[in-house]
């Protein structure tokens, strides 16, 4: 009986296996030689797509993928202009979580749920929307349909140098100076003390107290302040009241509230303890600074956590990285636990298909290919991104998790405390109106208070110009 | 009549290209400038706004600051390039050892794309990585951080542009100097004129057509500088190197404010034409006066 069952199973497997293995070849039979084009930011997860997933996909389907990885601002410019003009240059574009609302408002994207239902022959057997984490909800339209295939998701965490914090000589010297034990920061006062201490111990200025993503002419500084620092002081959604499109306290916003000003003042003051490249640092440079061992602690985008912690070719702090939740002021954690606030930034993005795509079938296959379970674990190891719930349990991911001080576990267990950008259709426009004042505060030509007062007023003017709120 | 027809036929391809690439975009930008048009507004369609976009410009502190910075930058770089380029041209006209090598090396920056020039200077000036901040600290105890100190950023952008474009001025002035007639110069020397009088009354007078062309080219280039500066400073720190081209780019692209951006573009074009015209009148007037 056992032999019969085994033989039956073997036959069933033999019959089933080719069908599953050949799905990509079968589905793409009429698409051989078709070229699809995509654009994305050059990030570790994106580079994995270029270096690994695209060659695999092309080998299995015969569909050629031309994939452009460029700077963050160029990526958006190119994608938006292509979709606005309907020129059809790109078949898939990177949609950051914070821009999807603008894209949906403009009806730029193909409804992937509908398209999959309409094309059963193109549905990959291993692909399942239910396998994604709740991050996919960021890419759903009002009726719950999916408009973007999640490709990366991560949280912005507090990274610190375990080796420095555990060094007895530092612990002794720190306690002698500050009268309490040296430890990773759980309060902002502690962050400041840690930063001051480590910024002053290296006479060669090769080690600094903290990273600050304070590029003084790039929106990265706007994002670090409004999506990471301000929420941890209890200022959410950029300090904008979405219902009334108000930013100033007088009209019901929070952008120039006392909490926001305290947050900006703290963040700006950290420049005194940050390496000189801080005012030129975007997310990439912050990761490089930390990986080069030039900062004792910092806010770092999680997409970099794995390579900083594990890749000795790129990082000089392998095995020395500690990961924790960033500090928050009193009351913020409780609000985040209750779902009324959040403690930091949950970032990520998806690939979406513009209506102007000229090769929709081939693109749909590609999007499913990157969304299937079998590619997720290696991708997570390479780019510290997780979009499938099952990825957390993969042995490869767990092995990296152990070296990266539990980054993946932290993301799985505490990810709900973080949140992406607010659902603003005027995201880029208000950012461009507000960011110059943050730059002025960084350079010191405005006080943090003045900068936020003027920023809030500028935000309201911009929203009014765009027809929102009527301020 | 036949000659005229043939002439127009020969000109037709060029005129066609000019209309397609020059006139039509200009007319389009002109028409867009009279509309409020932001595709991410609640109403993404163009709304007729009359001259409101031009009126806004007068009160837009960011635009005016950007315009002022651009003019300051233009004056600095064009004057510096003329002076340095003239001396280099004079030097390269003489016989000297390794003249050919020097001339080749001096001309190399011209062959580099502006975006690559910006990238190179960025690598040279990034704190913690670039050699310039390192040596400024080591030799002069100066914290050289472009992204933090506006004066350093502006000065560096000016120096970068001078480094990049002075060779063009040198080459054009060399061409002009090599065509100077010898007789008036010899006559002046025989008459006992000083070198300064010879330079002012003869050399400069004969060089005016070349100078005018060179100044026009550099003036227009400087007023529309974008790529190098975008790469080196991104317009920062703050908005201290956000010249008009960069400012328009930020308004039109990330902010998608097409109507207002078009108005800015037109005003910038108008100012460029006016400046060139004034310069032309001033220089040709000077020529007449010299006569």
């Amino acid at each position: 009986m056992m032999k019969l069952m085994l033989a039956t199973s073997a036959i069933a497997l033999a019959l089933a296996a080719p069908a599953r293995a050949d799905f990509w070849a079968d589905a793409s039979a009429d698409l051989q030689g078709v070229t699809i084009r995509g654009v994305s930011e050059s990030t570790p997860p994106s580079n994995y797509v270029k270096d690994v997933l695209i060659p695999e996909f092309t080998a299995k389907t015969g569909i050629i993928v031309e994939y452009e990885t460029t700077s963050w601002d160029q990526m958006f410019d190119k994608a938006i202009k292509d979709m606005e003009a309907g020129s059809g240059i790109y078949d898939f574009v990177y949609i950051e979580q914070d821009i999807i609302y603008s894209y949906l408002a403009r009806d730029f994207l193909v409804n992937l749920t509908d398209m999959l239902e309409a094309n059963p022959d193109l549905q990959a057997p291993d692909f399942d929307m239910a396998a994604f984490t709740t991050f996919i909800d960021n890419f759903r339209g009002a009726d719950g349909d999916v408009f973007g295939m999640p490709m990366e998701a991560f949280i912005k965490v507090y990274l610190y140098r375990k080796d420095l914090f555990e060094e007895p000589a530092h612990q002794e010297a720190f306690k002698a100076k500050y009268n309490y034990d040296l430890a990773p920061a759980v309060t902002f006062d502690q962050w400041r003390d840690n930063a001051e201490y480590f910024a002053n111990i290296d006479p060669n200025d090769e080690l600094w107290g903290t990273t600050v993503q304070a590029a003084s002419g790039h929106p990265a500084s706007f994002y670090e302040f409004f999506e990471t620092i301000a929420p941890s002081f209890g200022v959410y959604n950029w300090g904008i009241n979405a219902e009334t499109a108000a930013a100033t306290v007088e009209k019901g916003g929070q952008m120039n509230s006392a909490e926001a000003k305290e947050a900006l003042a703290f963040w700006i003051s950290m420049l005194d303890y940050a390496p000189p490249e801080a005012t030129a640092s975007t997310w990439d440079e912050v990761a490089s600074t930390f990986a080069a061992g030039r900062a004792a602690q910092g806010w770092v985008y999680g997409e970099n956590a794995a390579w900083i912690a594990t890749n000795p070719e790129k990082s000089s702090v392998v095995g020395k990285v500690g990961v924790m939740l960033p500090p928050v002021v009193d009351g913020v954690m409780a609000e985040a636990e209750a779902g009324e606030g959040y403690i930091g930034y949950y970032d990520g993005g998806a690939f979406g298909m513009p209506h102007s795509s000229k090769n929709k079938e081939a693109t749909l296959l590609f999007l499913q290919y990157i969304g299937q379970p079998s590619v997720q674990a290696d991708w997570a190891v390479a780019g510290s991104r997780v979009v499938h719930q099952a990825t957390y349990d993969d042995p490869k991911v767990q092995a990296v998790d152990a070296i990266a001080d539990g980054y993946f576990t932290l993301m799985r267990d505490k990810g709900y405390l973080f949140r992406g950008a607010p659902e603003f259709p005027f995201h880029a426009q208000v950012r461009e109106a507000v960011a110059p004042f943050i730059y002025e505060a960084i350079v010191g030509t405005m006080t943090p208070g003045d900068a936020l007062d003027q920023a809030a007023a500028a935000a309201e003017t911009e929203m009014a110009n765009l027809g929102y709120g009527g301020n | 009549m036949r000659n005229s027809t043939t002439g127009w036929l020969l000109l037709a391809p060029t005129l066609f290209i000019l209309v397609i690439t020059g006139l039509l975009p200009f007319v389009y930008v002109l028409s867009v400038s009279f509309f409020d048009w932001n595709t991410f507004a609640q109403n993404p369609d163009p709304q007729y706004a009359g001259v409101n976009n031009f009126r806004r410009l007068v009160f837009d502190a960011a635009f005016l600051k950007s315009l002022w910075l651009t003019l300051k930058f233009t004056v600095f770089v064009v004057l510096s390039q003329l002076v340095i380029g003239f001396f280099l041209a004079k030097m390269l006209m003489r016989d000297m050892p390794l003249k050919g090598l020097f001339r080749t090396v001096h001309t190399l920056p011209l062959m580099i794309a502006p975006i690559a020039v910006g990238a190179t200077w960025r690598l040279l000036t990034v704190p913690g990585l670039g050699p310039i901040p390192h040596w400024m600290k080591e030799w002069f105890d100066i914290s050289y951080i472009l992204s933090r100190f506006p004066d350093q950023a502006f000065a560096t952008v000016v120096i970068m542009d001078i480094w990049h474009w002075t060779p063009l001025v040198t080459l054009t002035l060399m061409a002009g100097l090599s065509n100077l007639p010898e007789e008036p110069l010899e006559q002046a020397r025989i008459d006992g004129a000083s070198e300064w009088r010879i330079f002012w009354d003869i050399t400069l007078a004969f060089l005016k057509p070349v100078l005018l062309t060179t100044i026009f080219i550099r003036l227009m280039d400087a007023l529309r500088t974008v790529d190098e500066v975008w790469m080196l400073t991104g317009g920062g720190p703050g908005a201290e190197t956000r010249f008009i081209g960069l400012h328009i780019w930020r308004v039109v692209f990330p902010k998608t404010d097409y109507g207002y951006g078009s108005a800015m573009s037109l005003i910038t074009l108008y100012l460029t034409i006016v400046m060139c015209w004034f310069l032309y009148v001033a220089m040709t007037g000077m020529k007449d006066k010299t006569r």
Side-chain angles (χ1 to χ4, degrees):
Chain A
M1 184 62 182
M2 181 64 81
K3 282 182 180 175
L4 182 62
M5 283 176 67
L6 282 171
T8 310
S9 301
I11 291 165
L13 279 172
L15 289 172
R20 289 175 67 84
D22 286 337
F23 164 77
W24 299 105
D26 293 345
S28 62
D30 297 334
L31 300 167
Q32 297 293 305
V34 165
T35 299
I36 60 173
R37 295 180 180 83
V39 64
S40 182
E41 185 185 2
S42 179
T43 61
S46 268
N47 290 332
Y48 185 84
V49 172
K50 181 173 69 180
D51 298 337
V52 178
L53 297 181
I54 286 175
E56 280 179 11
F57 176 73
T58 300
K60 288 180 180 175
T61 62
I63 296 169
I64 298 157
V65 183
E66 290 182 359
Y67 185 58
E68 198 178 332
T69 53
T70 183
S71 67
W72 171 82
D73 23 15
Q74 283 297 297
M75 167 193 76
F76 278 123
D77 283 346
K78 290 182 173 198
I80 289 172
K81 291 293 163 287
D82 178 48
M83 292 187 289
E84 276 185 343
S87 46
I89 294 169
Y90 297 115
D91 297 292
F92 64 95
V93 298
Y94 180 87
I95 319 164
E96 194 148 359
Q97 172 273 333
D98 50 22
I99 202 81
I100 179 76
Y101 311 108
S102 301
Y103 287 5
L104 291 180
R106 303 281 314 277
D107 191 26
F108 279 159
L109 303 170
V110 170
N111 183 328
L112 298 178
T113 306
D114 277 355
M115 191 173 174
L116 279 168
E117 283 174 9
N119 295 276
D121 294 349
L122 296 177
Q123 280 190 31
D126 287 345
F127 179 78
D128 182 5
M129 292 277 195
F132 287 96
T133 62
T134 53
F135 182 67
I136 196 173
D137 295 340
N138 286 294
F139 302 97
R140 293 185 189 277
D143 55 1
D145 287 353
V146 173
F147 289 78
M149 192 68 68
M151 56 81 72
E152 63 177 8
F154 46 84
I155 52 177
K156 192 165 183 179
V157 289
Y158 172 71
L159 285 196
Y160 65 97
R161 288 277 301 279
K162 287 178 86 167
D163 57 324
L164 295 175
F165 280 83
E166 290 169 0
E167 168 70 44
H170 289 319
Q171 289 178 337
E172 199 176 316
F174 184 91
K175 187 158 190 177
K177 188 173 180 183
Y178 297 99
N179 290 321
Y180 65 93
D181 289 333
L182 174 65
V186 292
T187 68
F188 289 106
D189 287 340
Q190 202 177 3
W191 189 302
R192 176 179 283 109
D193 290 345
N194 289 346
E196 185 186 53
Y197 172 76
F198 284 113
N200 289 305
I201 60 169
D202 183 0
N204 298 319
D205 283 348
E206 293 298 328
L207 177 66
W208 299 82
T210 180
T211 65
V212 184
Q213 184 182 297
S216 59
H218 189 284
S221 50
F222 168 93
Y223 284 125
E224 172 144 304
F225 176 67
F226 280 108
E227 294 179 335
T228 300
I229 312 300
S232 60
F233 279 77
V235 179
Y236 310 121
N237 300 327
W238 303 2
I240 290 175
N241 182 330
E243 288 177 11
T244 58
T248 58
V249 171
E250 301 78 59
K251 292 183 177 172
Q254 262 199 309
M255 192 181 280
N256 62 340
S257 63
E259 295 82 2
K261 290 177 180 177
E262 185 189 353
L264 186 58
F266 167 78
W267 185 62
I268 297 289
S269 72
M270 287 301 99
L271 287 171
D272 293 342
Y273 314 118
E277 66 267 27
T279 48
S281 290
T282 70
W283 30 78
D284 293 331
E285 286 80 12
V286 161
S288 301
T289 292
F290 198 90
R294 286 172 61 79
Q297 57 182 355
W299 298 272
V300 180
Y301 277 70
E303 64 184 333
N304 300 298
W307 72 262
I308 290 174
T310 62
N311 188 340
E313 290 177 9
K314 291 182 176 177
S315 170
S316 63
V317 295
V318 171
K320 301 173 183 173
V321 178
V323 181
M324 277 181 28
L325 294 178
V328 291
V329 300
D330 289 343
V332 168
M333 188 60 79
E335 287 177 346
E337 293 278 4
E340 295 164 359
Y342 52 99
I343 67 166
Y345 189 44
Y346 198 124
D347 191 20
F351 284 146
M353 190 193 312
H355 282 300
S356 51
S357 164
K358 291 171 181 164
N359 299 290
K360 290 192 173 67
E361 287 78 15
T363 306
L364 187 65
L365 285 176
F366 176 70
L367 295 183
Q368 290 178 90
Y369 189 84
I370 64 155
Q372 59 179 336
S374 60
V375 306
Q376 300 300 324
D378 287 334
W379 198 359
V381 169
S384 344
R385 37 66 73 202
V386 175
V387 296
H388 275 204
Q389 195 61 38
T391 308
Y392 289 115
D393 301 324
D394 190 282
K396 292 176 187 170
V397 174
Q398 290 184 339
V400 172
D401 194 44
I403 304 170
D405 200 37
Y407 167 75
F408 288 113
T409 303
L410 186 78
M411 184 175 163
R412 182 191 62 197
D413 296 343
K414 299 292 183 184
Y416 70 96
L417 298 171
F418 295 76
R419 198 176 294 167
E423 300 179 17
F424 294 153
F426 44 72
H427 179 105
Q429 287 66 35
V430 169
R431 181 197 70 213
E432 288 299 312
V434 167
F437 300 102
I438 304 300
Y439 305 156
E440 299 280 355
I442 290 168
V443 178
T445 46
M446 272 189 192
T447 64
D450 287 346
L452 286 179
D453 283 339
Q454 294 193 35
E460 284 181 351
T461 303
E462 186 64 25
M463 289 185 282
N465 284 342
L466 294 168
Y468 298 98
N471 285 294
Chain B
M1 185 65 189
R2 195 178 59 190
N3 285 344
S4 172
T5 307
T6 309
W8 281 111
L9 278 174
L10 290 170
L11 273 175
T14 308
L15 288 174
F16 178 74
I17 291 168
L18 276 176
V19 167
I20 296 292
T21 62
L23 192 62
L24 284 184
F26 174 77
V27 171
Y28 180 70
V29 170
L30 182 67
S31 64
V32 169
S33 71
F34 293 106
F35 288 85
D36 270 339
W37 186 19
N38 191 318
T39 49
F40 284 92
Q42 205 159 38
N43 182 350
D45 299 325
Q47 309 288 312
Y48 182 69
V51 294
N52 194 42
N53 284 327
F54 295 93
R55 190 184 144 277
R56 269 175 73 191
L57 285 173
V58 182
F59 303 102
D60 184 343
F63 171 74
L64 296 176
K65 179 177 180 174
S66 164
L67 198 60
W68 164 241
L69 284 170
T70 309
L71 294 175
K72 199 165 78 166
F73 168 79
T74 303
V75 169
F76 272 114
V77 298
V78 174
L79 279 181
S80 306
Q81 287 162 5
L82 277 178
V83 173
I84 298 170
F86 181 79
F87 281 108
L88 286 172
K90 287 285 278 184
M91 192 178 83
L92 290 170
M93 294 293 289
R94 297 178 186 155
D95 284 332
M96 58 182 233
L98 301 175
K99 181 174 146 182
L101 177 69
F102 182 79
R103 196 162 53 189
T104 306
V105 171
H106 173 60
T107 313
L108 281 178
L110 270 186
M111 302 173 198
I112 307 173
I115 199 80
V117 168
T120 307
W121 278 73
R122 187 179 169 89
L123 286 173
L124 287 170
T125 55
V126 169
L129 177 71
I132 294 178
H134 176 76
W135 292 117
M136 290 291 270
K137 187 74 181 169
E138 197 80 1
W139 292 343
F140 309 111
D141 197 28
I142 293 173
S143 289
Y144 179 82
I145 307 173
L146 293 192
S147 52
R148 196 154 194 188
F149 301 116
D151 291 344
Q152 290 181 0
F154 187 83
T156 307
V157 166
V158 167
I159 293 168
M160 174 177 68
D161 196 84
I162 291 171
W163 174 82
H164 191 192
W165 291 111
T166 298
L168 176 77
V169 179
T170 307
L171 290 180
T172 52
L173 292 185
M174 276 176 71
L177 285 170
S178 62
N179 284 322
L180 282 184
E182 282 296 319
E183 286 162 16
L185 295 169
E186 284 171 7
Q187 189 65 52
R189 286 195 187 99
I190 292 166
D191 290 345
S194 67
E195 284 302 314
W196 173 250
R197 293 298 300 177
I198 293 172
F199 166 75
W200 189 254
D201 289 332
I202 300 176
T203 309
L204 211 53
F206 279 108
L207 274 181
K208 260 175 206 160
V210 176
L211 274 176
L212 201 62
T213 310
T214 309
I215 290 172
F216 278 178
I217 292 172
R218 284 307 306 133
L219 187 77
M220 287 185 285
D221 278 349
L223 286 170
R224 63 182 183 180
T225 295
V226 172
D227 356 21
E228 291 166 316
V229 183
W230 183 75
M231 195 44 134
L232 179 61
T233 66
E240 300 299 328
T241 58
R242 193 188 274 197
F243 301 136
I244 196 70
L246 263 177
H247 189 68
I248 292 171
W249 178 80
R250 293 221 73 91
V251 169
V252 173
F253 286 85
K255 225 172 166 185
T256 58
D257 197 345
Y258 300 127
Y260 193 45
S262 297
M264 276 185 194
S265 303
L266 286 174
I267 287 293
T268 307
L269 174 66
Y270 175 74
L271 288 176
T272 307
I273 292 169
V274 168
M275 283 174 67
C276 288
W277 176 251
F278 272 123
L279 197 67
Y280 177 79
V281 170
M283 291 196 74
T284 51
M286 198 163 74
K287 186 179 171 184
D288 293 340
K289 202 176 164 185
T290 307
R291 279 177 186 167

